[in-house]
Amino acid sequence: MLHKMIRVLIADDSAIARDVVRAGIKTHQSKRYFEIDVVPDGQQALDVLHKKQIDIAFIDINMPGLSGPEVISAMKETKSNGCLAIAMSSDMNEKARAIFTEFGAYHFLKKPFHQEDVAGIVSSYITMTEGYPILIVDDSTTMRKLTRKILENSRFNFDISEADSAAAALKMVSTGKFRIVLTDFHMPDVDGLELAGAIRDQSSKISIYMMSTNDTTYLERSAAFIGITGFLKKPFTAQDIDTVMHKLLGLDDPNFGKVRDLFSFFERERKAS
């Protein structure tokens, strides 16, 4: 399988930090080809981000000229909008954290860090860009289109298919193609729980997520018994999908990411015990 090159930017005025990041990236060179740009200040970092589409940007918070937060906040106006931005510093104040969160930064590396920390982030990126076959099941054309758009805005790479009924969904699932199913709960004839049970009869490996606009508390025990992986309360966002995928794939939660319980009663019982 041919993988696209990964373009990485390392922006730090510390040569030591730049070398550690580069060493962490190089641990993956047997799997993917990397093009690495290394710069010592914020203005040069922004120049690179304007010039080419960067996939992963390691940005020091405190740099000469433009600071890390200023570079991150300007990133949306560059070719690299949407890249995986990693903030680096020995400390981070609340103002910087607020900027990184607002503009979609992914993670924070506290100095001094090790090449293994960098390698873990690069590994997460590689995992995100693998293809994940996913089936959207909803009788509403509008909701299927909306869900597709949300998936397309996720950091993860999905191969998206759609089904407008439980019968169509089961026929498609029987091909063995899909890894994930997102199904609406309220559908005519067969509801989401019944469909999930039928899917689970076919395969124990497919991850099933239920979409619902209503309070799902009364459904959660039945859903867990059937083998539903979790719920997505409508309206949900691409960031919620990212949270789901991090948990599904066992990836570390991003520092600036959103953590969302998939079965809220599990969390309630844990806190009560």
Side-chain angles (χ1 to χ4, degrees):
M1 181 177 178
L2 184 63
H3 294 286
K4 80 178 186 73
M5 175 177 62
I6 298 175
R7 293 185 171 89
V8 183
L9 170 64
I10 306 170
D12 200 309
D13 58 328
S14 164
I16 294 173
R18 295 196 300 265
D19 289 344
V20 172
V21 175
R22 202 195 316 252
I25 295 168
K26 286 183 177 179
T27 63
H28 292 285
Q29 282 188 326
S30 63
K31 303 173 189 175
R32 301 288 283 270
Y33 177 72
F34 294 87
E35 178 182 282
I36 304 174
D37 283 88
V38 182
V39 297
D41 61 63
Q43 184 56 59
Q44 291 186 59
L46 194 56
D47 291 343
V48 172
L49 293 166
H50 275 290
K51 189 187 307 178
K52 61 177 73 173
Q53 184 177 336
I54 295 295
D55 300 304
I56 313 174
F58 292 88
I59 308 291
D60 183 34
I61 288 180
N62 301 302
M63 289 186 291
L66 291 176
S67 68
E70 288 173 319
V71 173
I72 296 290
S73 64
M75 192 179 290
K76 285 196 173 183
E77 305 303 321
T78 74
K79 288 185 177 181
S80 302
N81 178 28
C83 86
L84 211 68
I86 316 300
M88 305 182 294
S89 179
S90 56
D91 194 18
M92 178 165 48
N93 61 41
E94 287 307 309
K95 182 178 179 181
R97 175 179 289 278
I99 292 172
F100 291 135
T101 302
E102 179 183 356
F103 290 98
Y106 177 74
H107 205 56
F108 174 66
L109 282 175
K110 183 177 176 63
K111 295 181 178 180
F113 51 82
H114 304 285
Q115 69 179 57
E116 292 80 11
D117 301 317
V118 175
I121 290 171
V122 175
S123 178
S124 292
Y125 176 82
I126 292 172
T127 301
M128 289 178 197
T129 54
E130 298 292 335
Y132 297 97
I134 188 168
L135 177 62
I136 303 167
V137 188
D138 200 309
D139 59 298
S140 165
T141 303
T142 300
M143 288 308 303
R144 291 199 308 274
K145 287 182 178 178
L146 178 60
T147 304
R148 174 182 284 272
K149 185 175 181 179
I150 291 168
L151 291 171
E152 289 171 346
N153 286 327
S154 164
R155 291 191 183 276
F156 290 79
N157 180 27
F158 294 106
D159 178 9
I160 305 170
S161 299
E162 300 177 18
D164 60 3
S165 67
L170 287 172
K171 186 174 181 180
M172 295 172 75
V173 167
S174 68
T175 64
K177 170 185 176 181
F178 297 100
R179 182 165 181 179
I180 307 162
V181 172
L182 295 182
T183 178
D184 187 36
F185 172 67
H186 296 286
M187 293 188 294
D189 300 326
V190 177
D191 68 26
L193 280 179
E194 293 175 283
L195 172 59
I199 292 172
R200 192 54 76 225
D201 287 341
Q202 289 191 28
S203 172
S204 61
K205 296 180 180 180
I206 297 175
S207 297
I208 307 169
Y209 294 92
M210 188 78 67
M211 303 181 290
S212 178
T213 55
N214 299 330
D215 178 19
T216 58
T217 306
Y218 72 102
L219 296 172
E220 289 170 356
R221 290 188 182 279
S222 297
F225 180 77
I226 290 170
I228 290 175
T229 315
F231 281 94
L232 278 168
K233 179 82 178 291
K234 296 178 182 176
F236 55 89
T237 67
Q239 193 175 32
D240 291 320
I241 294 296
D242 290 348
T243 301
V244 164
M245 292 301 294
H246 274 82
K247 291 183 181 298
L248 177 62
L249 299 171
L251 302 176
D252 289 339
D253 287 329
N255 189 269
F256 300 108
K258 182 178 180 182
V259 177
R260 180 168 178 161
D261 293 331
L262 302 184
F263 279 121
S264 58
F265 81 88
F266 286 157
E267 183 65 14
R268 290 196 298 272
E269 291 189 346
R270 184 188 68 77
K271 290 177 179 177
S273 63

